Amino acid sequence: MRNTVKVAVIYYSATGHVADIAREIAETAEKAGAEVRLRKVRELAPQGAIESNPAWAAHTAATAEIPVAEVEDVVWADAVVMGSPTRFGNVSAQLKQFLDTLGGAWRKGELADKIYSGFTSTGSPHGGNESTLLALMHSFHHFGGIVVAPGFTHPDKFVDGNPYGTAHHDAGGTAPVGDVTRNAARVQAERVVTIARAVTAVSSGSQ
C-alpha cells in the first residue's frame, strides 16, 4: 500500500502574493510528508505589459526557475491545490487557460477522485476572495474531484475568516503576505494532506 501522498501546487501570480501563498502551502505539505510539485501556469500577457509594472517584472524574473505547469502534473497528483489572484471576482485568464488544457485528461477520467483545494489574493478584504474560490471550485466539481475546503476547522481560520480557502488581501499591492495568511495556508495544506492520505489509503487497500 502506497503511503506517500503526491501534491501539486499550481498557481498564477503577477506580482508575488499568490506565489508566496503557494510556497507556504508547498513547504507545509512537504513537512507533512507529501511529495510536492510547485508549478506556475504559463504567462499570457505580452512582455510590454509585464515590463510596464516594476513589481510584475521583478516577480517574473525572480520566479523564472519555477517549472511551468503541465497536464501531467495534475494527472500525477493525489491532491491539487490551485491559486489565482481575483480578476473581477473570478480566476485569472492565465489559470483559466491552464484549466482549459485539461479537457483531454478529463475525458479519460484522469482528473476524477482527486483532492482539490484553492487559494487566492485580492486588493481589498472583500474584493472577490470568496467568489474567486467558489468559481475555481466549479471546475473541481466538473472534474469529479473531492473538494477539500479548510472551513472553520482551526482557530487560525477564524482569524483568516474565509472557509473556502486561504485568502490574502494586499491593500492595493502594499501589504505583503503576513502571519494571518501564512497560518491559514498551513492549516489548509495540512488538511489537504491528511484527507488525501486517508483517501489514497482506502483506494490502495481496495485494489
Side-chain angles (χ1 to χ4, degrees):
M1 183 172 67
R2 178 166 61 87
N3 293 320
T4 303
V5 171
K6 298 180 290 186
V7 177
V9 182
I10 297 173
Y11 73 93
Y12 174 71
S13 185
T15 57
H17 297 97
V18 173
D20 284 348
I21 301 169
R23 280 190 289 269
E24 195 69 54
I25 289 173
E27 290 170 5
T28 301
E30 285 184 337
K31 290 175 182 175
E35 181 182 351
V36 178
R37 292 185 183 180
L38 177 64
R39 301 289 188 266
K40 64 186 180 185
V41 299
R42 198 173 309 279
E43 180 60 81
L44 303 179
Q47 190 62 31
I50 297 170
E51 292 175 353
S52 70
N53 183 328
W56 194 355
H59 175 68
T60 299
T63 57
E65 80 289 352
I66 295 179
V68 171
E70 304 291 347
V71 173
E72 191 272 333
D73 294 312
V74 178
V75 175
W76 165 86
D78 300 307
V80 182
V81 190
M82 290 190 177
S84 171
T86 187
R87 294 292 184 262
F88 302 111
N90 212 321
V91 298
S92 65
Q94 289 85 347
L95 185 62
K96 180 60 169 64
Q97 192 276 338
F98 176 74
L99 290 168
D100 289 347
T101 69
L102 299 176
W106 169 78
R107 281 189 291 272
K108 295 176 184 176
E110 294 176 331
L111 307 183
D113 304 328
K114 299 177 185 291
I115 301 299
Y116 292 92
S117 201
F119 58 98
T120 189
S121 178
T122 61
S124 59
H126 296 285
N129 282 343
E130 293 88 351
S131 62
T132 299
L133 292 171
L134 290 170
L136 185 55
M137 289 176 189
H138 292 169
S139 295
F140 299 161
H141 289 302
H142 278 259
F143 296 164
I146 302 166
V147 177
V148 173
F152 292 114
T153 58
H154 188 282
D156 287 336
K157 285 305 298 177
F158 287 92
V159 180
D160 164 69
N162 193 320
Y164 306 111
T166 301
H168 175 66
H169 61 90
D170 64 26
T174 63
V177 174
D179 289 342
V180 169
T181 302
R182 293 186 186 281
N183 290 340
R186 294 182 193 116
V187 170
Q188 184 171 3
E190 289 170 359
R191 182 169 168 80
V192 164
V193 172
T194 297
I195 296 177
R197 184 172 287 125
V199 170
T200 56
V202 170
S203 178
S204 298
S206 65
Q207 293 177 353

